[in-house]
Amino acid sequence: MSIRHPIGDDLLLGFAAGTLPAAHDLVVATAVSLDDDARARLGGFETLGGALLEQADAAPVGDDALTAVLGRLDEEEDMAPPRRICGGIFPAPLQDAVGGDLAAVRWRPVGMGARQAVLHRSPRGTARLLSIPAGQAMPDHSHRGTELTLVLTGAFRDGDLRFARGDLQVADASTEHRPTAEPAEDCICLVVTDAPLRFAGLLPRLFQRFLGI
Amino acid sequence: MSARPEPETHVAETEKDDAHWTAQMIAVGAARDRAAFEDLFRHYAPRIKAFLIRTGLAPPVAEDCMQDVMVTLWRKAHLYDPARASVATWVFTIARNRKIDMIRKTRRPEPEDLTWGPEAEPSQADVVAMRQESARLAQAVAELPERQRDLVQRAFFGEATHSEIAAATGLPMGTIKSRIRLAITRLREAMPEGTADRDRDGT
């Protein structure tokens, strides 16, 4: 699978450093699961983190800390297994957020055949799944903050650009964009915003109020 | 506590290099070697705690978090892959994740894990190459002009914004990326059939 619009280094570095909001962590973890080159770039930034840790000044740690840790080594504790490749439509981190694969999503209509499912909402960012019917445009909208759209199934076009599974579109406040799903199948995306979307038309704006887009 | 086995060799802290820590980590993972773990603790615990304090945790919270990180290190030692990351890098990611999980009280989303197939393991050449590239990057960080090194640190300690992070240039990120990319390709090839992503063509 070739990724034409890969996730950028700024997000990967933020993820490596652990400074991103939770909603953004979800889109990065999902994108990296679909793009081995991004995984390698992330690994590079994590190596940088390791170098900084290695070079950090040591803080005082007492022998009692070592004793306490040694005393815990034999404790039985539920250790969640590491996430493995799950082979589903959604990569593992997204399945964790949904509580299952595509079939487990609890969709709600947002008008014009589009559906959404909010996965995470906090003041710093919202993560939602968005399903755009085949051949249809996402409701016209702009936004105050940055919008990250990761394609999971299907593909959409925006102007001259095509975005398919694993591609990430970054739209900032000045972008009045209009993603249109390709006619072959519905396009399902993970969309992360750091400020509420604003839809251009009156009706969608009402939807926005009721549905918390 | 009963008499603990002493480490076999007594090496001055300053003489211990990345190869030493890799060997100790593997000893913990493969043989549950407590002496090796104590050695790792004495080296990494103070650095983990300092890192956590620097990223904004109060010292008593950083102490608790550090202890959790060291316990996790013991429990997950068998998952450590020296072809993909230095010990310092692996410790860093565990500390970062533990801190975020503590603050959010929920588990942070992580990319899917890639693991070696049942019959496969990394080659020594790949392990050595990974260690060398990590050391080279660490050296490059140490040699950065102070202003630039400060920017890189600020990025990692949460004191900088995204756009400032982009200024963390001048580091040879390309070579380490290529090295990790190679390790990922080897992993993909070694993974059991049926675990690959449905759209992946194996390249």
Side-chain angles (χ1 to χ4, degrees):
Chain A
M1 180 168 60
S2 64
I3 306 292
R4 281 188 233 185
H5 305 284
I7 187 166
D9 279 348
D10 53 345
L11 283 166
L12 294 175
L13 183 48
F15 187 88
T19 53
L20 296 182
H24 296 67
D25 277 347
L26 178 61
V27 76
V28 176
T30 306
V32 166
S33 297
L34 295 171
D35 180 355
D36 282 349
D37 193 71
R39 187 188 287 271
R41 283 185 286 138
L42 173 62
F45 292 129
E46 289 176 337
T47 308
L48 193 53
L52 292 173
L53 179 91
E54 190 73 63
Q55 292 167 22
D57 297 329
V61 170
D63 271 351
D64 52 333
L66 176 58
T67 307
V69 168
L70 289 174
R72 286 174 61 189
L73 296 187
D74 296 323
E75 276 175 18
E76 289 287 328
E77 190 175 310
D78 270 350
M79 198 75 176
R83 285 167 207 70
R84 299 283 165 85
I85 302 295
C86 59
I89 293 167
F90 295 165
L94 186 55
Q95 291 207 15
D96 288 348
V98 167
D101 207 357
L102 179 57
V105 178
R106 300 177 66 179
W107 295 107
R108 305 191 63 171
V110 287
M112 292 171 282
R115 298 176 298 166
Q116 74 158 355
V118 174
L119 303 177
H120 175 89
R121 192 198 301 275
S122 78
R124 293 184 69 199
T126 299
R128 61 165 57 78
L129 288 165
L130 192 65
S131 174
I132 311 170
Q136 286 195 35
M138 185 184 170
D140 201 6
H141 67 285
S142 60
H143 22 78
R144 284 195 294 276
T146 302
E147 180 187 60
L148 308 170
T149 305
L150 176 71
V151 179
L152 300 163
T153 67
F156 71 80
R157 287 181 184 272
D158 200 352
D160 296 335
L161 301 176
R162 178 176 192 269
F163 295 82
R165 179 169 167 87
D167 285 330
L168 183 81
Q169 185 183 43
V170 180
D172 66 18
S174 62
T175 318
E176 187 91 25
H177 63 143
R178 195 166 175 80
T180 303
E182 287 193 340
E185 60 175 313
D186 292 358
C187 182
I188 296 173
C189 302
L190 176 62
V191 182
V192 168
T193 47
D194 50 17
L197 297 185
R198 286 176 308 183
F199 287 90
L202 173 66
L203 201 58
R205 199 173 294 146
L206 286 175
F207 273 116
Q208 184 176 0
R209 186 182 303 164
F210 287 119
L211 299 169
I213 293 186
Chain B
M1 197 169 305
S2 59
R4 291 193 298 263
E6 285 295 306
E8 283 176 24
T9 50
H10 294 270
V11 187
E13 172 78 1
T14 50
E15 291 171 33
K16 294 175 179 175
D17 59 5
D18 292 348
H20 172 78
W21 299 122
T22 303
Q24 295 294 62
M25 199 64 237
I26 290 169
V28 173
R32 309 271 86 188
D33 183 332
R34 284 188 181 237
F37 178 77
E38 283 189 35
D39 191 20
L40 286 161
F41 183 98
R42 290 188 197 284
H43 182 72
Y44 283 108
R47 287 169 173 80
I48 294 166
K49 189 174 169 185
F51 164 76
L52 293 169
I53 292 171
R54 183 83 194 270
T55 60
L57 291 189
V61 182
E63 172 76 30
D64 287 350
C65 189
M66 174 276 287
Q67 293 191 15
D68 286 351
V69 171
M70 291 308 302
V71 173
T72 303
L73 203 72
W74 171 265
R75 294 203 176 123
K76 289 192 168 178
H78 61 289
L79 299 172
Y80 171 63
D81 178 356
R84 249 194 310 173
S86 68
V87 174
T89 300
W90 200 59
V91 170
F92 165 76
T93 58
I94 292 174
R96 171 202 66 194
N97 292 358
R98 181 64 201 143
K99 181 202 161 190
I100 292 174
D101 292 354
M102 264 177 95
I103 291 170
R104 290 187 191 153
K105 298 187 172 61
T106 169
R107 204 162 70 162
R108 179 197 199 215
E110 280 290 302
E112 287 175 341
D113 206 29
L114 301 181
T115 52
W116 291 97
E119 302 289 312
E121 58 176 48
S123 79
Q124 270 311 301
D126 284 344
V127 171
V128 170
M130 184 67 229
R131 205 162 59 220
Q132 286 170 344
E133 287 302 339
S134 299
R136 210 164 287 159
L137 182 63
Q139 187 64 28
V141 173
E143 288 170 358
L144 276 180
E146 194 177 333
R147 205 183 116 72
Q148 255 180 317
R149 192 170 62 246
D150 185 55
L151 265 178
V152 174
Q153 284 177 343
R154 275 157 38 89
F156 267 88
F157 297 133
E159 299 159 2
T161 64
H162 282 164
S163 49
E164 285 178 273
I165 286 172
T169 51
L171 288 172
M173 297 304 298
T175 48
I176 187 78
K177 188 212 112 178
S178 303
R179 171 52 49 188
I180 297 170
R181 184 73 182 84
L182 184 67
I184 291 168
T185 302
R186 301 250 163 96
L187 272 169
R188 289 269 183 218
E189 287 163 356
M191 277 186 338
E193 290 293 319
T195 55
D197 184 77
R198 67 179 190 130
D199 283 352
R200 231 167 254 292
D201 56 16
T203 54

